[in-house]
Amino acid sequence: MTGATTPPPVDDRAEAAPETRIVVANQWQLIWWKFRKHRLAMFAGLVTLLLYAVALFAEFIAPYSAGTYSATHTFLPPQNIQLFQQTETGWRFYPHVYGHKVQVDPESFKRTYVVDEEIAYPVGLFVRGEEYELWGLFTLDLHLIGAAQYGDPVHLIGTDRLGRDVLSRTIYGTRVSMSVGLVGVGLSLGLGVILGGISGYYGGLIDNLIQRAIEILRSLPTIPLWMGLSAAIPLTWPPVRVYFAITVLLSLIGWTALAREVRGRFLSLKTEDFVIAARLDGVRELQIILRHMVPSMTSHIIASVTLAIPGMILAETALSFLGIGLRPPVVSWGVLLQEAQNVRSIATAPWLLFPGLAVVVSVLAMNFLGDGLRDAADPYQT
Amino acid sequence: MQPTHTRLNAAAATDDVLLEVKEVKTHFFTDEGVVKAVEGVNLSLKRGQTLCVVGESGCGKSVTARSILRIVPPPGEIVSGEILFRQRDGRTVDLAQLNPKGREIREIRGGEISMIFQEPMSALSPVHTIGSQIMEAILLHLTVTKQEARKRAVSMLDLVGIPRPSETLDAYSFELSGGMRQRAMIAIALACEPQLLIADEPTTALDVTTQANILDLIADLQQESGMSVLFITHDLGVVAEIADEVVVMYLGRDVESGAVDAIFHDPKHPYTRALLQSIPRYDSRDNKRLYSIKGTVPHPFDRPTGCPFHPRCDDFIAGQCNLIDPQRALISRDHSARCLLYPTAAIHNPDEEPAT
Amino acid sequence: MNQRSDLNQTDEDMRPLLEVRNLHMRFPIRRGMFRRTVGYVQAVNDVSFSIRSGETLSLVGESGCGKTTTGRCIARVYKPTAGQIHYAVAEEESIDLAELDNQALRPFRRQIRMIFQDPFSSLNPRLPILQIVGESLKVNRIASGSELEDRVASLLKRVGLRPEYIRRYPHAFSGGERQRIGIARALALNPKLIVADEAVSALDVSVQAQILNLLQDLQEELDLTYLFIAHDLSVVEHISHRVAVMYVGKIVELASADELFKNPLHPYTEALLSAVPKPDPRLRNKGVRIRLEGEVADPSNPPSGCYFHPRCRYAQDRCRAETPAFREIGRDHWVACHFAEELDLRGFEAIGSTAE
């Protein structure tokens, strides 16, 4: 076709633009460059990664296992780490916690702990402690932090009514709580993309039906619905099955928001000039969806997924807190908070609310991360 | 006002200059670097006249307008220059020195200088009626009762040619067509009888027949009220229709300015000439090819050295244009061009001569 | 006089490349919870015209007149609700594109290509230029691998871009360069007819001239036929051989560019021509500008008779009652107006071209 060629009209006269890396950068590079500028989101991303690392290596990071209890150390308050110890020759670096003495009030028989500065339990990193199996593969006894001498009662965030280490239990709870969010969002993503995609692509009656279904689902009050549904989970089910039932339950309601997002994207992309151009190029429908439409949506979907996870975490926490979600012996933040559900524990053992702090941190981090991703998701707006 | 400037713009000292912009630079401090959107622009607008600022996208014409009103969005800032505006009470104020959020500039905005935009939909509030938006402007700047403000709003809508003004007063912006919206925005802008109307591409989004009506309307209103108009456009046809004076901008500076007839019939700067040659005209149709400027407007981050137009210029002098930043050369009394083809020795540039 | 008129003469007896007969396209208006159809927008209403091989036929009109929809029906983005689009495939054979399904359309999609208005939204920002321009070559299994790269590189060269650009993404290009990429994509399959939908409307004057020149060069070298959709009459006048004027979904006038601009027969054409700003200040106030009152009719509820009658200054009772037929008056000059013979309308020249 280029048989009769005249010299290119203009561009040769102009100077060549310098070849910089931005001109050949693909969408993910551009998103990353834009996201990187968002300081808060970067920090939140780091925190989120850290939380998932904690979930992954819970056995290693926690000083004790989730079930280790000590009848002699119930409701032990948090012990402050002392970094230095005074000796005859001066101060030396010796991280340790003080021991406790139990005092019993002669009138009310109330037990209180008094710090005993005479006793020092050394604390260390990478210490030997209880044996555990990491991911069912390796048998180890190395812990990131804990008592330097196996058996010393070191409880940095205190203990609960059975003398279980709150820090360790919160770390184990991370695993369940963070994964409930992930698995639940994964399920609702599947439902949302499929139903939203169908709705947006085909339109018409199907779209109408799906949209009405979404509206009905969304108009139901969530807490009573969850309560009703989770009440239907048989008490006899093993914890793992309950866990999955709860995630399925959460995603059944969570998919609607994602479906709407996907449908909206589909509708606007369908009339986008470059999609029409692809159709005129002779590209087949499935290829148009896979090559042109889906890549244009993925970054947005990732952002909304990130924003949906904290909702799931909160929902799980709320359900477990109400006692209709996960139940002990499963350890999740909600289950842990359930223990702090009475005035007595808040008054005498406020450290039991520590898992609540974990919830706040994780939800905030994921929200900031999602916000940053959403801002960076469309790097082509100038 | 410094006496040195008066020699360049002889009119500056006289009373009939309403607005004078001198070597204004507005830069945007982005994460990627400094975008020099406006890099030394000069213009002077007399009372009752229409000055057109014309240029292609990215030449800084809109930023110039926003700099005058001090509504440059962050991270943009005026870094140097003067914007002298003669207020109604006879005082001359340097708008560039005012606090952009201060009381003084807010009183000038809307009261003495109004602005209309390309897209009326984004400038009009969708949740307030047209009438309440006009009345808000009136009540803010004039001491009148609500009743009087309402009456005035109706007469404004009537003035801009909106049919059934008292009904439209209670309409929302989305209920109006594009042309009517633009008229409503003009009504709001003119409600307080400003001395200066800044129009930023007000007809670009409109159809040609609607555009003709709006241009007529602005001209009629100008004749009646004697206000000055600073009209920003990329359309040379529109310039030829309405301008008294023209400033041609390229990459953030005025490359040529002069009376409209001089610009169209005796253009001096190679960019102005090229621009005029690139528009399809009725009499050009026998020459099949249009003249086209080579290349494209450079990215704001790699601003050429010397004369910013040199990489695209047909009259490029190697060793000169790419090194020397041309100053304004006076061609005749009101006609100047920033180009090395014309001797600068004869004229006095505020940059070259220290203020005495 | 020039090549254009020659072409008109020689082509007159030729069979058209494309013949549109009684084309209708309507879009349902849906309302309410169950999206019931409450009415129709008659975007294209009984439009007939033909495009001759090697010519540029322009569709002009104001926004909402149906010109884009007509173009999209021909490119078969939409399936028209009624009418035929006969495309000449051989000497005595033509195929009605309007009734083909997607599968049967595939061979014709190679020959009828489209250039879009918005150079930003028409290129997928997530794909490199190689994929965008080469898409049609790849899906039609014409080239792949290094051959595809060579083809795309030569296409880029053809439209005045550097062949090294194939690995770049659209965001690295300016508006004019993107439009060149869009043109390269359209050229990939050796098309015969190109539907250029407002292809230069979003571009700056200097870049617009480059693209117009490129389109004309390509037409000459590759023997292309253009359906050029635009609202800028100066551009249309420059590039077209014949021009069709549309108003509310109907063609009101169709003639050669010379004839239509010199001697318009429809009052709407006259009004459009008079509204075009002339790029010469000396023509200001020469001739009377026709102000069109009122708004463009609502295509879901058009007026009776001639759709233009509410805004027409020559309207009579007959215009309100009777729909004017689209008929040929004079050689190759079609118009839909009852009084075309009687009215003495002014063309572009009478309203004013260059004074000298």
Side-chain angles (χ1 to χ4, degrees):
Chain A
M1 58 146 279
T2 45
T5 39
T6 51
V10 273
D11 203 66
D12 270 10
R13 289 197 284 160
E15 280 170 43
E19 191 83 18
T20 50
R21 64 190 185 129
I22 190 152
V23 301
V24 290
N26 66 27
Q27 111 166 281
W28 300 109
Q29 281 165 308
L30 290 173
I31 290 176
W32 169 238
W33 290 340
K34 199 168 166 196
F35 179 75
R36 217 168 39 181
K37 278 189 233 141
H38 205 311
R39 298 257 165 83
L40 185 62
M42 277 294 280
F43 179 71
L46 213 70
V47 170
T48 309
L49 277 181
L50 222 76
L51 282 169
Y52 276 107
V54 166
L56 216 56
F57 299 100
E59 290 91 344
F60 164 68
I61 292 166
Y64 301 95
S65 80
T68 311
Y69 64 95
S70 158
T72 53
H73 292 93
T74 57
F75 290 122
L76 184 73
Q79 296 162 310
N80 290 328
I81 295 185
Q82 312 292 322
L83 287 180
F84 298 96
Q85 190 188 41
Q86 196 171 23
T87 60
E88 299 85 43
T89 51
W91 292 91
R92 67 163 178 149
F93 182 70
Y94 181 68
H96 62 280
V97 295
Y98 294 130
H100 283 88
K101 273 190 297 205
V102 182
Q103 281 186 345
V104 180
D105 191 314
E107 280 173 24
S108 65
F109 294 103
K110 200 175 141 194
R111 283 155 43 104
T112 45
Y113 289 98
V114 176
V115 176
D116 181 0
E117 300 201 359
E118 297 297 303
I119 311 165
Y121 300 118
V123 176
L125 295 173
F126 302 104
V127 293
R128 305 266 158 206
E130 283 175 51
E131 273 195 2
Y132 57 87
E133 277 189 13
L134 190 62
W135 309 327
L137 294 174
F138 320 100
T139 308
L140 297 170
D141 61 353
L142 201 65
H143 292 264
L144 178 66
I145 191 166
Q149 281 151 31
Y150 181 46
D152 282 352
V154 173
H155 302 284
L156 298 175
I157 313 286
T159 60
D160 65 3
R161 71 189 155 84
L162 295 177
R164 292 175 297 199
D165 187 46
V166 174
L167 177 66
S168 302
R169 283 173 69 77
T170 308
I171 288 171
Y172 277 93
T174 308
R175 174 171 287 173
V176 172
S177 290
M178 294 295 277
S179 69
V180 162
L182 215 57
V183 174
V185 166
L187 284 173
S188 42
L189 178 69
L191 274 171
V193 167
I194 292 169
L195 290 171
I198 290 172
S199 188
Y201 193 79
Y202 290 102
L205 183 69
I206 302 173
D207 178 33
N208 220 336
L209 286 175
I210 293 176
Q211 289 312 305
R212 297 297 88 79
I214 288 176
E215 272 153 29
I216 290 165
L217 266 177
R218 287 182 78 109
S219 63
L220 295 172
T222 41
I223 293 282
L225 183 68
W226 282 332
M227 289 175 81
L229 286 171
S230 58
I233 299 173
L235 284 167
T236 50
W237 276 15
V240 180
R241 203 188 292 171
V242 173
Y243 167 86
F244 277 108
I246 293 286
T247 50
V248 168
L249 217 146
L250 292 178
S251 57
L252 272 180
I253 292 145
W255 67 272
T256 53
L258 276 163
R260 290 219 148 158
E261 168 89 15
V262 171
R263 172 180 177 265
R265 292 269 150 211
F266 251 104
L267 283 181
S268 63
L269 279 171
K270 211 160 73 165
T271 52
E272 197 77 36
D273 279 351
F274 71 80
V275 173
I276 294 174
R279 190 163 297 137
L280 295 184
D281 276 344
V283 185
R284 282 167 209 281
E285 286 302 316
L286 189 67
Q287 279 296 310
I288 288 177
I289 296 175
L290 294 180
R291 246 170 85 79
H292 292 272
M293 296 173 79
V294 171
S296 307
M297 294 192 294
T298 37
S299 53
H300 294 269
I301 291 175
I302 289 172
S304 32
V305 161
T306 315
L307 286 171
I309 294 177
M312 293 278 178
I313 294 175
L314 282 176
E316 182 277 324
T317 308
L319 281 183
S320 305
F321 180 77
L322 293 174
I324 50 178
L326 300 174
R327 282 179 286 264
V330 174
V331 186
S332 82
W333 291 337
V335 172
L336 293 179
L337 283 173
Q338 200 196 349
E339 307 219 337
Q341 214 185 40
N342 50 66
V343 181
R344 187 180 161 248
S345 51
I346 293 171
T348 62
W351 56 88
L352 291 182
L353 291 173
F354 180 71
L357 189 71
V359 174
V360 171
V361 168
S362 68
V363 168
L364 278 181
M366 303 277 269
N367 271 321
F368 287 135
L369 173 67
D371 273 343
L373 283 176
R374 194 173 49 191
D375 291 346
D378 199 349
Y380 300 105
Q381 284 161 351
T382 40
Chain B
M1 211 180 286
Q2 291 160 344
T4 22
H5 300 320
T6 56
R7 275 193 274 174
L8 181 66
N9 284 305
T14 65
D15 271 346
D16 64 340
V17 169
L18 180 67
L19 175 78
E20 191 167 18
V21 173
K22 291 178 185 173
E23 280 299 314
V24 163
K25 296 185 178 183
T26 304
H27 295 176
F28 286 80
F29 300 91
T30 68
D31 292 343
E32 289 86 6
V34 179
V35 176
K36 294 175 178 170
V38 175
E39 183 62 358
V41 78
N42 296 277
L43 53 89
S44 147
L45 174 56
K46 297 195 189 86
R47 249 175 237 287
Q49 295 222 308
T50 300
L51 174 72
C52 277
V53 178
V54 65
E56 297 180 281
S57 50
C59 74
K61 51 190 193 297
S62 275
V63 178
T64 304
R66 283 171 165 74
S67 300
I68 293 169
L69 268 183
R70 303 301 309 278
I71 49 169
V72 179
E77 260 174 59
I78 298 179
V79 292
S80 68
E82 290 176 82
I83 303 167
L84 302 174
F85 178 70
R86 186 170 286 260
Q87 286 185 276
R88 248 186 220 120
D89 54 16
R91 283 186 305 132
T92 301
V93 59
D94 183 0
L95 301 181
Q97 297 299 323
L98 297 182
N99 173 8
K101 291 195 174 78
R103 210 169 63 88
E104 241 182 313
I105 189 75
R106 276 190 284 125
E107 271 172 14
I108 291 174
R109 271 184 222 143
E112 301 213 36
I113 308 177
S114 288
M115 188 157 175
I116 53 177
F117 299 89
Q118 174 175 345
E119 189 34 78
M121 208 49 190
S122 53
L124 293 172
S125 160
V127 294
H128 294 106
T129 61
I130 300 292
S132 72
Q133 291 179 68
I134 302 179
M135 280 160 64
E136 188 192 358
I138 294 170
L139 290 169
L140 210 58
H141 295 283
L142 304 177
T143 41
V144 290
T145 63
K146 257 193 127 169
Q147 281 303 313
E148 286 167 325
R150 191 176 166 88
K151 248 170 134 178
R152 199 181 158 80
V154 174
S155 70
M156 283 315 299
L157 288 179
D158 193 36
L159 189 68
V160 298
I162 288 182
R164 300 187 305 282
S166 44
E167 285 169 43
T168 312
L169 209 59
D170 298 317
Y172 290 90
S173 57
F174 54 83
E175 296 174 295
L176 303 180
S177 71
M180 286 300 146
R181 257 180 234 144
Q182 201 56 276
R183 282 172 194 268
M185 191 159 67
I186 293 172
I188 295 172
L190 299 188
C192 299
E193 295 183 343
Q195 296 199 73
L196 170 62
L197 176 70
I198 301 178
D200 187 2
E201 306 249 11
T203 59
T204 304
L206 302 175
D207 279 318
V208 60
T209 54
T210 320
Q211 162 173 291
N213 290 346
I214 296 289
L215 292 181
D216 283 351
L217 172 69
I218 293 176
D220 290 349
L221 293 171
Q222 185 178 17
Q223 209 145 43
E224 273 166 46
S225 65
M227 65 175 175
S228 309
V229 176
L230 182 69
F231 199 101
I232 292 159
T233 182
H234 68 278
D235 187 333
L236 287 161
V238 171
V239 175
E241 295 255 336
I242 62 162
D244 296 307
E245 303 277 328
V246 181
V247 172
V248 183
M249 284 186 72
Y250 185 76
L251 276 189
R253 46 167 64 172
D254 54 307
V255 292
E256 183 163 3
S257 47
V260 64
D261 198 70
I263 297 290
F264 277 83
H265 290 280
D266 186 24
K268 292 296 181 194
H269 198 283
Y271 177 64
T272 315
R273 287 193 216 154
L275 213 53
L276 284 166
Q277 280 174 284
S278 357
I279 40 173
R281 293 164 187 256
Y282 196 64
D283 52 351
S284 75
R285 59 170 310 178
D286 291 349
N287 332 321
K288 202 169 161 241
R289 284 182 69 90
L290 286 169
Y291 177 82
S292 69
I293 309 175
K294 62 190 173 189
T296 51
V297 179
H299 193 272
F301 288 131
D302 31 70
R303 215 188 143 78
T305 56
C307 171
F309 187 58
H310 84 260
R312 305 178 70 192
C313 186
D314 282 344
D315 300 308
F316 168 63
I317 311 163
Q320 298 269 316
C321 294
N322 51 347
L323 299 175
I324 305 167
D325 193 1
Q327 300 303 320
R328 298 170 72 199
L330 207 58
I331 283 132
S332 66
R333 201 172 145 266
D334 282 326
H335 192 177
S336 67
R338 281 207 203 214
C339 180
L340 294 176
L341 293 174
Y342 308 101
T344 37
I347 72 135
H348 302 275
N349 192 285
D351 279 350
E352 283 173 357
E353 256 182 42
T356 44
Chain C
M1 155 182 138
N2 58 14
Q3 287 162 307
R4 274 190 244 195
S5 14
D6 297 344
L7 192 126
N8 279 344
Q9 313 249 303
T10 49
D11 275 8
E12 200 141 83
D13 308 317
M14 260 183 67
R15 259 165 32 86
L17 177 69
L18 190 92
E19 201 177 349
V20 176
R21 276 186 220 148
N22 309 101
L23 190 73
H24 287 261
M25 183 71 208
R26 59 179 198 182
F27 297 100
I29 309 169
R30 294 181 204 275
R31 293 250 166 76
M33 165 125 166
F34 294 103
R35 322 245 312 131
R36 271 184 311 121
T37 304
V38 293
Y40 290 95
V41 175
Q42 195 73 46
V44 179
N45 189 352
D46 199 13
V47 159
S48 301
F49 62 92
S50 59
I51 308 175
R52 296 162 190 168
S53 190
E55 78 166 346
T56 301
L57 173 72
S58 286
L59 287 181
V60 297
E62 297 179 283
S63 47
C65 72
K67 53 188 193 298
T68 292
T69 311
T70 308
R72 290 189 166 205
C73 283
I74 289 169
R76 276 305 309 274
V77 176
Y78 304 137
K79 188 169 168 49
T81 31
Q84 295 119 45
I85 303 168
H86 289 287
Y87 177 72
V89 285
E91 265 313 298
E92 288 299 318
E93 204 190 332
S94 68
I95 285 200
D96 183 7
L97 301 180
E99 59 184 22
L100 297 185
D101 62 13
N102 268 330
Q103 193 55 41
L105 268 172
R106 283 179 79 87
F108 302 104
R109 289 221 190 276
R110 298 184 188 191
Q111 296 175 19
I112 301 175
R113 305 285 288 160
M114 195 161 162
I115 304 173
F116 295 85
Q117 168 175 11
D118 185 350
F120 290 84
S121 73
S122 61
L123 305 180
N124 188 344
R126 288 161 183 85
L127 295 179
I129 304 310
L130 173 68
Q131 306 285 326
I132 292 173
V133 176
E135 181 116 59
S136 58
L137 294 169
K138 218 166 90 184
V139 296
N140 286 298
R141 300 210 173 76
I142 290 168
S144 63
S146 65
E147 200 201 335
L148 183 73
E149 282 183 25
D150 292 346
R151 290 281 291 258
V152 172
S154 79
L155 280 167
L156 289 187
K157 229 157 90 189
R158 192 66 218 79
V159 296
L161 290 173
R162 293 170 170 273
E164 306 92 89
Y165 289 171
I166 53 170
R167 308 241 171 265
R168 292 191 175 192
Y169 285 83
H171 62 81
F173 296 92
S174 69
E177 289 167 325
R178 286 176 190 222
Q179 206 55 297
R180 287 172 193 271
I181 295 166
I183 294 171
R185 169 172 62 192
L187 293 179
L189 292 167
N190 303 335
K192 285 189 177 153
L193 173 66
I194 290 184
V195 178
D197 183 6
E198 303 268 14
V200 297
S201 305
L203 305 176
D204 275 319
V205 185
S206 67
V207 181
Q208 172 179 291
Q210 295 172 359
I211 301 295
L212 285 174
N213 286 340
L214 173 66
L215 287 173
Q216 288 187 320
D217 293 345
L218 292 170
Q219 179 166 46
E220 226 163 79
E221 284 157 32
L222 307 173
D223 196 25
L224 294 173
T225 307
Y226 291 137
L227 177 65
F228 195 86
I229 297 160
H231 66 270
D232 185 335
L233 285 154
S234 338
V235 169
V236 164
E237 200 270 338
H238 176 80
I239 199 169
S240 327
H241 300 110
R242 289 192 307 143
V243 179
V245 181
M246 288 189 74
Y247 187 76
V248 197
K250 284 177 179 289
I251 293 186
V252 294
E253 187 165 2
L254 172 63
S256 75
D258 276 335
E259 172 75 7
L260 188 106
F261 279 78
K262 253 189 228 150
N263 180 25
L265 291 178
H266 197 284
Y268 179 63
T269 313
E270 184 194 33
L272 264 188
L273 293 179
S274 87
V276 179
K278 316 293 176 299
D280 184 349
R282 290 181 187 168
L283 297 175
R284 211 186 281 178
N285 304 325
K286 294 237 173 93
V288 187
R289 182 187 284 160
I290 300 162
R291 280 199 195 190
L292 276 186
E293 299 296 333
E295 305 282 334
V296 175
D298 178 0
S300 66
N301 182 23
S304 63
C306 170
Y307 287 179
F308 188 58
H309 85 253
R311 306 174 77 192
C312 182
R313 40 196 226 139
Y314 311 104
Q316 298 182 21
D317 287 342
R318 189 177 166 201
C319 303
R320 283 176 262 279
E322 200 180 315
T323 307
F326 188 53
R327 60 210 166 99
E328 191 171 10
I329 299 179
R331 202 162 130 272
D332 215 17
H333 195 150
W334 294 71
V335 66
C337 175
H338 293 307
F339 303 103
E341 288 93 341
E342 289 126 76
L343 295 175
D344 181 25
L345 305 179
R346 279 165 307 177
F348 216 46
E349 262 171 349
I351 300 162
S353 73
T354 328
E356 291 106 318

